[in-house]
Amino acid sequence: MPDRRSYDDPCGIARALDVVGERWALLVVRELLLGPKRYTDLARGLPGSSPTVLSQRLRDLEAAGLVTRSAAGPPVGGHVYALTPRGRDLEDVLLALGRWGSRTEQTSAGALGTDALVLALRTTADPARLAGWSARVELRVEDGAGPDRIVLTVDGGRLAAVRGAADRPDAVLAGRASALRPVVFGRRALDDALAAGDLRVEGEESVVRRLLAAVVPPVPA
């Protein structure tokens, strides 16, 4: 990108940082990993970014071939942003970075957005505890105007996630993000959240419990 400074270093790491090393760039990619989003949805997921900076990062990522922009269908209108195959190649990079970062001391008091919550869930799920079984759980985050639905799929010792509603999921875990976070990361018992009505489970509750048991909260280094 000719309008930005380059490290001018042939190392692959330096070349990667030439593309995604600017502030907010990788967080924009994070917000698109689960599926396409409108600009307003991206801004909601990145409240600390100014409109000017977010618009510039989207232009940068589009110019680099990591993000595409297309017209949204009616009745929404506007534009929708999505990752290209090259942009999706950053998924494993972000998961590894998330695992590394989760072991550092948390100093931010900000709320964890839905996409960040799901990514954190994926980075802390133990592959050994995911092995030997398969399931689909629909996560319904009931914040804002309507629920944000995420399909969590356990298969082959991996946990995958994509935005959307599941067709015949094994179970549904629903509630506000503020109630989901402490349960997902072991700071509150699921039974307590269910009894208080803060969370609901539909379908096979044992599947939800097994999924939550696969999450191992990180220990700060």
Side-chain angles (χ1 to χ4, degrees), residues 35-214:
K37 280 188 173 184
R38 296 173 300 162
Y39 179 90
T40 52
D41 297 323
L42 284 167
R44 189 178 302 113
L46 301 169
S49 175
S50 71
T52 300
V53 171
L54 179 55
S55 296
Q56 183 61 57
R57 289 296 84 78
L58 286 167
R59 287 194 293 269
D60 292 342
L61 293 170
E62 190 176 359
L66 305 184
V67 167
T68 60
R69 180 182 57 167
S70 59
V76 177
H79 292 95
V80 169
Y81 296 89
L83 293 177
T84 65
R86 179 167 165 77
R88 290 209 63 85
D89 284 343
L90 287 166
E91 182 171 9
D92 287 342
V93 175
L94 283 176
L95 289 173
L97 193 59
R99 291 188 189 97
W100 184 85
S102 67
R103 295 192 298 271
T104 64
E105 183 180 359
Q106 180 176 322
T107 58
S108 172
L112 200 64
T114 299
D115 293 73
L117 171 65
V118 173
L119 192 64
L121 180 62
R122 294 184 64 196
T123 59
T124 54
D126 181 2
R129 300 187 187 188
L130 296 174
W133 62 293
S134 60
R136 284 195 306 162
V137 174
E138 183 177 303
L139 187 66
R140 293 180 189 167
V141 184
E142 298 175 336
D143 293 340
D148 197 356
R149 301 179 181 223
I150 311 295
V151 181
L152 303 173
T153 302
V154 178
D155 188 47
R158 290 177 59 88
L159 179 62
V162 64
R163 178 168 280 103
D167 180 25
R168 297 182 180 178
D170 297 293
V172 173
L173 176 61
R176 297 182 65 85
S178 57
L180 284 165
R181 283 192 297 269
V183 171
V184 164
F185 298 114
R187 297 191 296 271
R188 185 184 185 188
L190 176 62
D191 287 336
D192 179 59
L194 294 175
D198 295 330
L199 295 181
R200 303 187 315 281
V201 172
E202 302 170 13
E204 299 180 36
E205 187 175 306
S206 61
V207 170
V208 172
R209 293 185 182 278
R210 188 168 184 179
L211 176 59
L212 294 176

